[in-house]
Amino acid sequence: MSTETSADLLWLLPFLPLLGAAILLLGGRRTDAWGHLLACGMALASFVLGLVMFFGMLGRGAEERAVHQILFSWVPVGQLQIDFGLLLDQLSMVFVLLITGVGSLIHIYSIGYMAHDPDRRRFFAYLNLFVAAMLLLVLADNYLGLYMGWEGVGLASYLLIGFWQYKPSAATAAKKAFVVNRVGDIGLAIALMIMFATFGAVSFQAVFGSASQAGENILTALGFMLLLAACGKSAQVPLQSWLGDAMEGPTPVSALIHAATMVTAGVYLITRSGPIFDLAPAARVGVTVVGAVTLLFGAIIGCAKDDIKKALAASTMSQIGYMVLATGLGPAGYAFAIMHLLTHGFFKAGLFLGAGSVMHGMNDETDMRRYGGLRAAMPITFVTFGLGYIAIIGVPPFSGFFSKDPIIEAAFASGGVGAWFLGGAALLGAGITAFYMTRVMLLTFFGDRRWQPDTHPHESPGVMTGPMIILAIGSVAAGALLVWGDSLVHWLEPVVGHSHHELAVPAWVVTVTILAVVAIGILIAWRQYATRPVPEVAPDDVSALTVAARRDLYGDAFNENVLMRPGQEVTRGLVAVENDGVDGLTTGIGAAIAALSQRIRHWQSGYVRSYALSMFAGATLIVAMVMVVRVL
């Protein structure tokens, strides 16, 4: 496909799923019978179009691959002139294929998973809306268009997380995700203001081209505002508390949010804004610290969760932490962050769909302590889930090994004392990941059967297992394909750049160390859960760390005491100022005028002779004053 043709058709990528969402939402019950098929078709059409454009890119030189399309003048207001434009370059192409490819598989899986839901048509409309918003986010050629997609993703996630709104827990989780993400969105809104005030524009080309002329303090503030936005969407500390609760939505929603779309938005934002962070060292340090803390934070939480979906949600938080850490390393880590994002899209989507398959066969039970021995009853789910498990813990030659190990190596090679903190955190996270994911495998598929008497586990239908098999193949092969001849690094280099890191020791030493730590994590989990009986109810006599992990390391308590309650007090103070100050002043003035009016009203008696006497007295007074003035 030529550059001109690609540019002419670029708008179709987000428009097709958006059209599907509009038809299903506006068509109402008349589309119930075939709405799910239309939604799948629209997602698949975007994927096919993205593939055609990808192969067209391969036929052009590295510097000529970007495709730009201006649709119309969007904001022609004074000095602020913004076009509604789309940009398809090497970075956005990676996301387009991930979003539409994995998103299409999740759509197909949902046909079976949501087969008996009376509102299936509405669910598929929201899925299409989600995909359209995410595509707009990654295709926009300016930060305002990105912001529009950003808010669209937030809306769609709210609708999907709270899809079963008749459940109070689902409605609460949706509101929580919406509110927490609004906090992060403030960062992106302020960043837009800083850009316009500093550069007079919000397009990528204008901002990046002028960034070197801005002061470091301005760029640092801009970087931290973008980081705040990324923390909200990608569930990074301190805005991570919504992610576990988001599991209240249907399982395909969890796969879509956690694997291919919403949580990757923050990684995309930081990587796309690389020219800003490269000129703001303090902001880059903030990014790496947030990533390192979050990868440990999520891993520790994952060790104590008995709900299979919440264990995987904590895992997502941790794995996104690896990606954020890599983006904070600058050109040495951008490509590795995107590589891990891609491999994570395969194995985490497969793991979530596998969890949904287990729930499908277990009467929607999510407590792993009530599973056990499912490998015989659900062989396809066991194999596909197992391949995703091996990939996420980083066993060679599975995909996670090729994407996570380079991040750990780059962290150790980042230089300075901080390198030991970053590298050590990433290495420790790998061991903890191996522990909690092995725990999930053992509790679910091995050991004694701990099912409830009325449970009859069975394999899921082909429409569900088919996407799981495809994702499992990606979990095995994606990593090797991406690193073959540094293919992904070379692909992204024209957009994000790349610098090779230098390790103080041979790379094989780091690799062996990582595998040893992973093996230790596996062995500890095996000893804990394979050689001892697993109680159906979690014991209460546990360590303080386990209690803290069960409570999400007190993330909600921190937000409540540090942010919510002080915010309530500030709000009460402002209300008091409003009521007693502003309202009191305006009310007092009104009351004073009313009282004066009451007194003046008594002067109006209604008697003509009184008015004539008043006029005579007034006239006499005026004549006297004139005569006095003339005499003087």
Side-chain angles (χ1 to χ4, degrees):
M1 181 179 288
S2 66
T3 304
E4 293 78 9
T5 305
S6 296
D8 292 339
L9 298 179
L10 187 53
W11 63 277
L12 283 173
L13 284 171
F15 178 76
L16 288 173
L18 181 62
L19 177 62
I23 293 174
L24 296 184
L25 291 174
L26 298 177
R29 293 295 180 184
R30 290 170 293 181
T31 64
D32 280 354
W34 45 267
H36 55 289
L37 300 178
L38 174 67
C40 292
M42 289 300 188
L44 284 168
S46 283
F47 175 61
V48 171
L49 182 59
L51 274 179
V52 172
M53 291 183 176
F54 170 68
F55 287 115
M57 270 191 174
L58 292 177
R60 300 191 293 270
E63 302 300 330
E64 301 174 351
R65 286 172 173 164
V67 177
H68 193 204
Q69 181 183 28
I70 301 296
L71 296 177
F72 52 85
S73 179
W74 190 14
V75 185
V77 181
Q79 295 181 350
L80 185 59
Q81 300 289 323
I82 304 175
D83 293 326
F84 195 98
L86 302 176
L87 173 66
L88 182 66
D89 59 9
Q90 290 91 326
L91 177 61
S92 52
M93 175 56 80
V94 167
F95 281 84
V96 165
L97 294 179
L98 177 66
I99 294 164
T100 58
V102 176
S104 295
L105 293 175
I106 294 171
H107 273 70
I108 295 170
Y109 175 94
S110 300
I111 293 175
Y113 191 87
M114 301 294 289
H116 303 293
D117 195 292
D119 289 323
R120 180 172 65 169
R121 181 259 314 163
R122 180 166 58 89
F123 177 79
F124 275 91
Y126 294 162
L127 286 185
N128 264 197
L129 179 63
F130 202 116
V131 171
M134 193 66 194
L135 286 171
L136 176 59
L137 191 158
V138 301
L139 286 172
D141 71 344
N142 62 79
Y143 281 97
L144 187 60
L146 184 151
Y147 185 77
M148 183 179 178
W150 193 271
E151 293 301 320
V153 170
L155 170 63
S157 67
Y158 169 78
L159 296 172
L160 285 167
I161 294 170
F163 180 75
W164 289 324
Q165 53 194 273
Y166 57 84
K167 297 167 54 179
S169 57
T172 301
K175 288 187 289 185
K176 183 177 182 179
F178 191 84
V179 171
V180 173
N181 274 276
R182 294 295 73 73
V183 176
D185 294 351
I186 291 174
L188 187 52
I190 295 175
L192 282 167
M193 299 175 193
I194 295 174
M195 290 174 193
F196 177 63
T198 305
F199 309 113
V202 294
S203 68
F204 297 150
Q205 183 178 6
V207 172
F208 300 157
S210 305
S212 59
Q213 302 172 13
E216 185 174 326
N217 291 336
I218 293 293
L219 294 174
T220 299
L222 182 56
F224 274 110
M225 288 300 100
L226 293 172
L227 174 59
L228 177 62
C231 286
K233 277 291 183 288
S234 293
Q236 300 293 283
V237 172
L239 301 180
Q240 81 292 340
S241 61
W242 66 270
L243 197 64
D245 296 77
M247 298 302 98
E248 291 294 334
T251 300
V253 174
S254 305
L256 193 64
I257 289 177
H258 287 248
T261 53
M262 186 168 176
V263 293
T264 64
V267 179
Y268 170 79
L269 178 64
I270 297 174
T271 305
R272 176 63 76 185
S273 306
I276 295 173
F277 285 97
D278 292 343
L279 296 171
R284 273 181 53 179
V285 170
V287 173
T288 57
V289 171
V290 166
V293 170
T294 306
L295 74 88
L296 290 176
F297 204 96
I300 292 171
I301 292 174
C303 294
K305 293 297 181 182
D306 293 328
D307 186 307
I308 187 170
K309 289 175 64 178
K310 290 190 175 183
L312 295 177
S315 170
T316 296
M317 187 193 309
S318 179
Q319 297 305 307
I320 299 295
Y322 275 101
M323 302 173 205
V324 171
L325 168 61
T327 60
L329 300 176
Y334 290 137
F336 298 137
I338 301 303
M339 184 185 301
H340 195 51
L341 185 148
L342 287 172
T343 59
H344 180 265
F346 282 104
F347 59 67
K348 184 52 63 67
L351 289 170
F352 266 112
L353 296 188
S357 179
V358 170
M359 293 168 56
H360 180 80
M362 293 290 290
N363 295 340
D364 289 328
E365 177 64 65
T366 61
D367 191 340
M368 294 183 291
R369 292 182 178 274
R370 297 179 180 177
Y371 291 165
L374 291 178
R375 67 184 184 278
M378 310 179 72
I380 298 178
T381 300
F382 167 64
V383 172
T384 55
F385 194 98
L387 293 175
Y389 152 72
I390 298 173
I392 194 175
I393 66 175
V395 174
F398 292 78
S399 60
F401 168 78
F402 293 103
S403 60
K404 189 187 295 184
D405 278 31
I407 294 177
I408 300 175
E409 292 176 10
F412 275 116
S414 58
V417 178
W420 291 101
F421 164 73
L422 298 177
L427 181 62
L428 178 59
I432 301 176
T433 300
F435 171 82
Y436 70 73
M437 285 306 304
T438 303
R439 175 178 179 268
V440 170
M441 281 295 296
L442 293 175
L443 288 178
T444 304
F445 296 104
F446 294 90
D448 296 331
R449 299 177 177 182
R450 303 180 297 276
W451 314 332
Q452 296 299 306
D454 59 341
T455 302
H456 305 285
H458 55 276
E459 189 57 270
S460 299
V463 72
M464 295 173 64
T465 57
M468 292 161 55
I469 292 171
I470 295 174
L471 290 170
I473 294 172
S475 299
V476 175
L481 293 175
L482 293 173
V483 301
W484 187 272
D486 286 335
S487 56
L488 184 64
V489 171
H490 292 317
W491 173 261
L492 292 173
E493 192 167 2
V495 180
V496 303
H498 184 66
S499 61
H500 294 280
H501 52 266
E502 297 293 336
L503 286 167
V505 297
W508 67 266
V509 174
V510 179
T511 300
V512 170
T513 303
I514 296 171
L515 292 177
V517 171
V518 168
I520 292 172
I522 294 173
L523 290 174
I524 294 175
W526 179 269
R527 178 177 177 273
Q528 182 70 27
Y529 296 100
T531 63
R532 304 174 184 177
V534 177
E536 291 191 23
V537 179
D540 294 327
D541 54 335
V542 293
S543 66
L545 179 59
T546 301
V547 173
R550 288 178 180 175
R551 298 178 181 177
D552 298 336
L553 295 182
Y554 303 108
D556 287 334
F558 174 85
N559 290 338
E560 180 177 349
N561 290 287
V562 176
L563 300 176
M564 189 194 78
R565 295 196 181 282
Q568 288 177 330
E569 294 301 322
V570 171
T571 302
R572 291 192 186 99
L574 293 175
V575 170
V577 171
E578 174 73 16
N579 292 338
D580 301 334
V582 178
D583 285 354
L585 178 62
T586 55
T587 303
I589 293 174
I593 294 175
L596 180 61
S597 300
Q598 288 285 349
R599 293 182 178 277
I600 293 176
R601 188 176 65 179
H602 292 298
W603 297 356
Q604 308 299 319
S605 63
Y607 296 110
V608 176
R609 61 179 179 272
S610 298
Y611 299 155
L613 180 61
S614 298
M615 288 187 287
F616 177 75
T620 301
L621 179 62
I622 293 173
V623 171
M625 291 178 62
V626 170
M627 292 180 66
V628 170
V629 170
R630 290 185 66 180
V631 171
L632 295 176

